[in-house]
Amino acid sequence: GNAIKVGLDAERGGANLVSLQRFLTIHEAEYRRAILARVSEKRLEAKQWWEKEAMPMMEAEKGGGDFRKSVSAAHKRIAALLDDARFRRVLALPPLGPQINIKEMLGGGRIVLIPLNAAEIGKPLDKMFGMVMMDMVRTAFLSRADREARPQAFVIFDETAAMADSSGMAEFISDFVAQLRKFGASGVFATQSLEQLTPDVRKELEGNTNNKVVLLVQGKGDSRMAVDILSSDRIKETDVTRPPKWHGFVKAIADDAP
Protein backbone atom coordinates (compact mmCIF):
# COMPACT_ATOMS: atom_id res chain seq x y z
CA GLY A 1 0.00 0.00 0.00
CA ASN A 2 2.73 2.48 0.90
CA ALA A 3 4.64 1.65 -2.29
CA ILE A 4 1.59 2.56 -4.37
CA LYS A 5 1.06 5.78 -2.37
CA VAL A 6 4.58 7.08 -2.85
CA GLY A 7 4.68 5.96 -6.48
CA LEU A 8 1.45 7.74 -7.40
CA ASP A 9 2.54 10.88 -5.57
CA ALA A 10 6.04 11.02 -7.05
CA GLU A 11 5.21 9.98 -10.59
CA ARG A 12 1.91 11.88 -10.81
CA GLY A 13 0.29 10.84 -14.11
CA GLY A 14 3.27 8.70 -15.11
CA ALA A 15 2.84 6.03 -12.45
CA ASN A 16 2.22 2.52 -13.74
CA LEU A 17 2.86 -1.14 -12.96
CA VAL A 18 6.29 -1.03 -14.60
CA SER A 19 7.48 1.66 -12.20
CA LEU A 20 5.91 -0.16 -9.25
CA GLN A 21 7.67 -3.39 -10.22
CA ARG A 22 10.99 -1.56 -10.43
CA PHE A 23 10.38 0.13 -7.08
CA LEU A 24 9.89 -3.29 -5.47
CA THR A 25 12.99 -4.82 -7.08
CA ILE A 26 15.53 -5.58 -4.33
CA HIS A 27 18.62 -4.24 -6.15
CA GLU A 28 16.94 -0.99 -7.32
CA ALA A 29 17.93 1.01 -4.22
CA GLU A 30 18.94 4.13 -6.17
CA TYR A 31 15.64 4.17 -8.04
CA ARG A 32 13.70 3.93 -4.76
CA ARG A 33 15.65 6.85 -3.33
CA ALA A 34 14.99 8.93 -6.44
CA ILE A 35 11.24 8.22 -6.18
CA LEU A 36 11.11 8.98 -2.45
CA ALA A 37 12.98 12.26 -3.00
CA ARG A 38 10.06 13.49 -5.14
CA VAL A 39 7.29 12.52 -2.71
CA SER A 40 5.29 15.49 -1.41
CA GLU A 41 4.30 16.33 2.16
CA LYS A 42 0.89 14.76 1.56
CA ARG A 43 2.49 11.32 1.61
CA LEU A 44 5.12 12.03 4.26
CA GLU A 45 4.04 9.13 6.47
CA ALA A 46 4.35 6.58 3.65
CA LYS A 47 7.69 8.09 2.60
CA GLN A 48 9.11 7.89 6.10
CA TRP A 49 7.92 4.30 6.48
CA TRP A 50 9.90 3.33 3.39
CA GLU A 51 12.98 5.31 4.40
CA LYS A 52 13.14 4.22 8.04
CA GLU A 53 11.64 0.73 8.02
CA ALA A 54 11.21 -0.87 4.61
CA MET A 55 14.42 0.11 2.82
CA PRO A 56 16.78 -0.91 5.64
CA MET A 57 15.17 -4.38 5.67
CA MET A 58 15.25 -4.70 1.87
CA GLU A 59 18.87 -3.65 1.53
CA ALA A 60 20.35 -5.29 4.63
CA GLU A 61 22.77 -8.14 4.00
CA LYS A 62 21.38 -9.93 7.05
CA GLY A 63 17.93 -9.89 8.59
CA GLY A 64 14.65 -8.73 7.12
CA GLY A 65 14.06 -12.11 5.55
CA ASP A 66 10.29 -12.20 6.08
CA PHE A 67 9.85 -8.69 4.72
CA ARG A 68 12.02 -9.42 1.70
CA LYS A 69 9.92 -12.53 1.02
CA SER A 70 6.68 -10.52 1.12
CA VAL A 71 8.14 -7.92 -1.26
CA SER A 72 9.34 -10.68 -3.56
CA ALA A 73 5.86 -12.23 -3.58
CA ALA A 74 4.30 -8.88 -4.56
CA HIS A 75 6.96 -8.46 -7.24
CA LYS A 76 6.08 -11.87 -8.72
CA ARG A 77 2.37 -11.07 -8.82
CA ILE A 78 3.07 -7.92 -10.81
CA ALA A 79 5.47 -9.82 -13.07
CA ALA A 80 2.70 -12.31 -13.89
CA LEU A 81 0.88 -9.44 -15.59
CA LEU A 82 3.82 -7.61 -17.13
CA ASP A 83 5.48 -10.70 -18.60
CA ASP A 84 2.57 -10.94 -21.04
CA ALA A 85 3.06 -8.33 -23.78
CA ARG A 86 -0.70 -7.74 -24.18
CA PHE A 87 -1.29 -7.08 -20.49
CA ARG A 88 1.85 -4.98 -20.26
CA ARG A 89 0.56 -2.77 -23.07
CA VAL A 90 -2.92 -2.41 -21.57
CA LEU A 91 -2.08 -2.03 -17.88
CA ALA A 92 1.35 -0.47 -17.75
CA LEU A 93 1.72 2.00 -20.59
CA PRO A 94 -0.09 5.27 -21.44
CA PRO A 95 -3.35 5.00 -23.45
CA LEU A 96 -2.91 4.90 -27.20
CA GLY A 97 -5.69 4.84 -29.77
CA PRO A 98 -9.38 4.03 -29.17
CA GLN A 99 -10.36 3.20 -25.61
CA ILE A 100 -13.17 1.08 -24.17
CA ASN A 101 -15.87 3.15 -22.46
CA ILE A 102 -17.89 0.68 -20.41
CA LYS A 103 -20.30 3.34 -19.17
CA GLU A 104 -21.14 4.35 -22.74
CA MET A 105 -21.65 0.72 -23.72
CA LEU A 106 -24.13 0.26 -20.88
CA GLY A 107 -26.25 3.01 -22.39
CA GLY A 108 -28.08 0.51 -24.58
CA GLY A 109 -28.28 -0.65 -28.17
CA ARG A 110 -25.10 -2.71 -28.09
CA ILE A 111 -24.03 -6.28 -27.47
CA VAL A 112 -20.52 -6.64 -26.05
CA LEU A 113 -18.83 -10.05 -25.81
CA ILE A 114 -15.73 -10.46 -23.63
CA PRO A 115 -14.33 -14.00 -24.10
CA LEU A 116 -11.92 -15.26 -21.46
CA ASN A 117 -10.41 -18.28 -23.13
CA ALA A 118 -7.78 -19.65 -20.74
CA ALA A 119 -6.14 -21.55 -23.61
CA GLU A 120 -5.45 -18.28 -25.44
CA ILE A 121 -4.95 -15.86 -22.54
CA GLY A 122 -3.23 -18.29 -20.17
CA LYS A 123 -3.62 -18.92 -16.48
CA PRO A 124 -3.89 -17.08 -14.12
CA LEU A 125 -4.15 -14.11 -16.47
CA ASP A 126 -7.65 -15.11 -17.57
CA LYS A 127 -8.99 -14.67 -14.03
CA MET A 128 -7.04 -11.46 -13.47
CA PHE A 129 -8.39 -9.97 -16.68
CA GLY A 130 -11.89 -11.17 -15.80
CA MET A 131 -11.79 -9.45 -12.41
CA VAL A 132 -10.45 -6.24 -14.01
CA MET A 133 -13.34 -6.21 -16.48
CA MET A 134 -15.89 -6.99 -13.77
CA ASP A 135 -14.56 -4.14 -11.64
CA MET A 136 -14.82 -1.81 -14.65
CA VAL A 137 -18.47 -2.84 -15.06
CA ARG A 138 -19.16 -2.23 -11.38
CA THR A 139 -17.48 1.19 -11.50
CA ALA A 140 -19.43 2.13 -14.64
CA PHE A 141 -22.76 1.31 -13.00
CA LEU A 142 -21.90 3.17 -9.78
CA SER A 143 -20.94 6.26 -11.81
CA ARG A 144 -24.55 6.67 -12.97
CA ALA A 145 -25.24 9.61 -10.68
CA ASP A 146 -28.24 10.91 -12.66
CA ARG A 147 -31.29 8.82 -11.73
CA GLU A 148 -32.94 9.76 -15.02
CA ALA A 149 -30.00 8.40 -17.02
CA ARG A 150 -29.93 4.79 -15.85
CA PRO A 151 -31.21 2.66 -18.72
CA GLN A 152 -31.46 -1.01 -17.85
CA ALA A 153 -28.37 -2.97 -18.84
CA PHE A 154 -28.23 -6.76 -18.86
CA VAL A 155 -24.97 -8.49 -17.96
CA ILE A 156 -24.43 -12.26 -18.34
CA PHE A 157 -21.58 -13.95 -16.48
CA ASP A 158 -21.14 -17.34 -18.11
CA GLU A 159 -19.08 -20.09 -16.46
CA THR A 160 -19.21 -18.32 -13.09
CA ALA A 161 -17.42 -21.27 -11.49
CA ALA A 162 -14.30 -20.48 -13.52
CA MET A 163 -14.03 -17.15 -11.68
CA ALA A 164 -15.40 -18.35 -8.33
CA ASP A 165 -12.04 -18.73 -6.61
CA SER A 166 -10.79 -15.31 -7.73
CA SER A 167 -10.13 -12.82 -4.97
CA GLY A 168 -13.08 -10.45 -4.65
CA MET A 169 -15.62 -12.55 -6.62
CA ALA A 170 -17.98 -13.00 -3.67
CA GLU A 171 -17.76 -9.28 -2.88
CA PHE A 172 -18.50 -8.41 -6.50
CA ILE A 173 -21.60 -10.61 -6.55
CA SER A 174 -22.79 -9.08 -3.28
CA ASP A 175 -22.33 -5.57 -4.69
CA PHE A 176 -23.96 -6.46 -7.98
CA VAL A 177 -27.14 -7.97 -6.58
CA ALA A 178 -27.45 -5.74 -3.52
CA GLN A 179 -26.42 -2.33 -4.83
CA LEU A 180 -26.10 -2.18 -8.60
CA ARG A 181 -29.73 -3.03 -9.33
CA LYS A 182 -30.75 0.48 -8.31
CA PHE A 183 -28.26 1.79 -10.89
CA GLY A 184 -29.99 -0.11 -13.71
CA ALA A 185 -28.09 -3.41 -13.58
CA SER A 186 -29.63 -6.80 -14.28
CA GLY A 187 -27.53 -9.92 -14.30
CA VAL A 188 -27.38 -13.65 -14.89
CA PHE A 189 -24.75 -15.79 -13.20
CA ALA A 190 -24.54 -19.12 -15.04
CA THR A 191 -22.62 -22.23 -14.05
CA GLN A 192 -22.65 -25.87 -15.06
CA SER A 193 -21.98 -27.07 -11.53
CA LEU A 194 -22.92 -25.65 -8.14
CA GLU A 195 -20.28 -27.82 -6.50
CA GLN A 196 -17.56 -25.98 -8.42
CA LEU A 197 -18.51 -22.70 -6.75
CA THR A 198 -16.65 -21.74 -3.60
CA PRO A 199 -18.84 -21.71 -0.45
CA ASP A 200 -18.77 -17.92 -0.12
CA VAL A 201 -19.74 -17.36 -3.78
CA ARG A 202 -22.49 -19.98 -3.59
CA LYS A 203 -23.84 -18.34 -0.44
CA GLU A 204 -23.99 -14.92 -2.10
CA LEU A 205 -25.75 -16.30 -5.18
CA GLU A 206 -28.28 -18.34 -3.23
CA GLY A 207 -29.08 -15.58 -0.75
CA ASN A 208 -29.08 -12.48 -2.93
CA THR A 209 -30.63 -13.52 -6.25
CA ASN A 210 -34.41 -13.54 -6.67
CA ASN A 211 -34.83 -15.95 -9.57
CA LYS A 212 -33.21 -19.37 -10.01
CA VAL A 213 -33.25 -21.51 -13.15
CA VAL A 214 -32.21 -25.18 -13.04
CA LEU A 215 -31.72 -27.16 -16.25
CA LEU A 216 -30.21 -30.62 -16.61
CA VAL A 217 -28.11 -31.43 -13.53
CA GLN A 218 -25.50 -34.15 -13.24
CA GLY A 219 -24.04 -35.58 -10.05
CA LYS A 220 -25.55 -36.26 -6.64
CA GLY A 221 -24.02 -33.20 -5.02
CA ASP A 222 -25.33 -30.82 -7.68
CA SER A 223 -28.78 -32.44 -7.75
CA ARG A 224 -29.10 -32.15 -3.98
CA MET A 225 -28.09 -28.47 -4.07
CA ALA A 226 -30.46 -27.79 -6.98
CA VAL A 227 -33.42 -29.26 -5.09
CA ASP A 228 -32.51 -27.21 -2.01
CA ILE A 229 -32.38 -24.03 -4.11
CA LEU A 230 -35.78 -24.72 -5.70
CA SER A 231 -37.16 -25.47 -2.20
CA SER A 232 -40.27 -27.29 -3.33
CA ASP A 233 -41.49 -30.58 -1.85
CA ARG A 234 -42.84 -31.43 -5.32
CA ILE A 235 -39.36 -31.61 -6.87
CA LYS A 236 -37.00 -34.51 -6.20
CA GLU A 237 -33.37 -35.12 -7.13
CA THR A 238 -34.39 -37.53 -9.90
CA ASP A 239 -36.49 -34.73 -11.46
CA VAL A 240 -33.54 -32.39 -11.97
CA THR A 241 -31.25 -35.15 -13.25
CA ARG A 242 -33.76 -36.44 -15.82
CA PRO A 243 -36.01 -33.58 -16.96
CA PRO A 244 -37.94 -33.86 -20.24
CA LYS A 245 -36.08 -32.53 -23.28
CA TRP A 246 -36.09 -28.71 -23.50
CA HIS A 247 -37.51 -28.46 -19.96
CA GLY A 248 -36.17 -27.12 -16.69
CA PHE A 249 -37.25 -25.67 -13.37
CA VAL A 250 -37.66 -22.04 -12.34
CA LYS A 251 -38.05 -20.48 -8.93
CA ALA A 252 -39.18 -16.90 -9.49
CA ILE A 253 -40.38 -14.02 -7.35
CA ALA A 254 -43.84 -12.69 -8.18
CA ASP A 255 -45.68 -10.15 -6.05
CA ASP A 256 -42.85 -10.31 -3.49
CA ALA A 257 -43.35 -14.05 -2.97
CA PRO A 258 -41.73 -17.16 -4.57
Side-chain angles (χ1 to χ4, degrees), residues 116-123 126:
L116 296 176
N117 190 329
E120 294 183 7
I121 299 177
K123 293 181 177 294
D126 58 331

Side-chain angles (χ1 to χ4, degrees), residues 187-200:
V188 169
F189 293 88
T191 182
Q192 295 186 40
S193 172
L194 291 170
E195 283 193 308
Q196 292 178 3
L197 300 175
T198 58
D200 56 342

Side-chain angles (χ1 to χ4, degrees), residues 112-212:
V112 182
L113 301 177
I114 305 176
L116 296 176
N117 190 329
E120 294 183 7
I121 299 177
K123 293 181 177 294
L125 297 180
D126 58 331
K127 294 182 179 180
M128 293 181 183
F129 183 71
M131 290 306 300
V132 168
M133 294 304 301
M134 290 166 69
D135 193 63
M136 290 175 66
V137 170
R138 172 169 49 188
T139 301
F141 275 117
L142 292 176
S143 67
R144 291 174 153 187
D146 186 356
R147 292 180 178 271
E148 302 301 321
R150 295 177 182 175
Q152 203 72 18
F154 196 66
V155 185
I156 300 175
F157 301 92
D158 194 16
E159 299 291 356
T160 303
M163 295 290 297
D165 61 348
S166 300
S167 176
M169 183 62 174
E171 179 186 356
F172 174 84
I173 293 174
S174 178
D175 283 350
F176 193 94
V177 298
Q179 298 184 42
L180 299 187
R181 280 182 290 193
K182 61 186 178 184
F183 290 91
S186 296
V188 169
F189 293 88
T191 182
Q192 295 186 40
S193 172
L194 291 170
E195 283 193 308
Q196 292 178 3
L197 300 175
T198 58
D200 56 342
V201 169
R202 187 163 58 243
K203 180 180 178 181
E204 291 294 342
L205 287 174
E206 291 179 6
N208 293 317
T209 53
N210 290 331
N211 304 316
K212 281 86 171 174

